Amino acid sequence: MDKYIESADLFEEIMMRGAEQMVKWIDHPLWKEYSPQQLRLMKLVEQLGSMTAGQLADMTQVHKSAISNRLKKLTEKGLVKVERKENDNRISVITITPAGKATVDEAYTVLYGHIRNMVQATLEEEEVDQFIRSLRKLKQMLEKGQPPGSNDRGNG
C-alpha cells in the first residue's frame, strides 16, 4: 500500500474509531450522562463563542435538526442558552452557561487524561515530539482553509 494512502487510512481510522473507543474506556459520570456529540457541541461554543445552530451544523457536518435536538436537551439542563438576536428575531444565538463551561472543562480534563496516559504508555518521548510536530503542520494546513497544493489566486 502507498504510504500516503496508508497514512490517510490510519488517520481516518483513528479519528472515527479512536474517538468511539476512548469514550467507551472513560468511566466518568459526565461521559455517561452526555453524549460525545453534546460535549463536543458545548466545547465548540465555549471555544468559538456565540453562534447560531446553522453555524454549529455546518461546523460539525450534522443536520440542523440533530443540532436542535441536542441544544434542547442542553438548554433544559441549563448548560447552554438559546436567545433571539436583538436586531433579528428570526435568528437564535447559542451561548454556553457557567454550568456548561464547568461541564466541558471537567469532561475534557478526564478525556485528555486518558489520551495522555495512552500516548505515554505507547510512544517514546521522541515519537511524541515528532507526532506533535506532524499534527501542528496538519493543523496549520487546515487553518488555511484551502487544500494543499492550491495557490492563492486572486489574493494578492
Side-chain angles (χ1 to χ4, degrees):
M1 178 185 291
D2 175 296
K3 68 181 177 182
Y4 298 103
I5 298 297
E6 182 181 10
S7 69
D9 186 51
L10 289 168
F11 183 79
E12 179 186 27
E13 188 172 335
I14 289 169
M15 291 296 296
M16 302 300 278
R17 292 197 186 132
E20 179 184 327
Q21 189 61 52
M22 287 301 290
V23 170
K24 287 180 184 176
W25 289 340
I26 296 174
D27 185 26
H28 188 277
L30 286 176
W31 285 94
K32 307 293 183 217
E33 184 175 354
Y34 303 105
S35 71
Q37 296 83 6
Q38 288 172 317
L39 291 166
R40 180 71 184 137
L41 187 145
M42 288 191 293
K43 185 165 179 65
L44 280 172
V45 175
E46 178 194 24
Q47 287 178 325
L48 302 175
S50 300
M51 63 183 68
T52 66
Q55 289 170 318
L56 278 170
D58 288 344
M59 289 176 135
T60 57
Q61 296 183 332
V62 173
H63 195 275
K64 195 174 172 186
S65 63
I67 296 293
S68 294
N69 288 335
R70 290 175 194 155
L71 287 172
K72 182 180 180 203
K73 292 173 186 174
L74 296 171
T75 301
E76 289 170 357
K77 293 186 180 226
L79 302 174
V80 298
K81 287 191 301 188
V82 180
E83 299 174 315
R84 297 282 176 199
K85 213 171 185 182
E86 283 183 28
N87 58 348
D88 189 345
N89 220 16
R90 298 169 298 167
I91 299 174
S92 295
V93 177
I94 296 109
T95 55
I96 193 158
T97 65
K101 182 181 177 351
T103 299
V104 167
D105 289 349
E106 183 176 350
Y108 277 86
T109 296
V110 171
L111 175 64
Y112 293 162
H114 279 275
I115 293 170
R116 182 183 196 280
N117 292 341
M118 180 187 70
V119 170
Q120 200 169 24
T122 307
L123 301 175
E124 298 295 326
E125 190 168 340
E126 63 222 29
E127 292 174 307
V128 174
D129 292 339
Q130 180 58 48
F131 185 57
I132 290 169
R133 283 191 299 275
S134 298
L135 289 173
R136 283 181 180 151
K137 284 182 181 180
L138 291 172
K139 181 182 177 194
Q140 287 174 347
M141 184 272 304
L142 291 171
E143 287 173 343
K144 289 180 182 177
Q146 56 189 137
S150 64
N151 57 22
D152 294 334
R153 282 184 237 141
N155 290 340

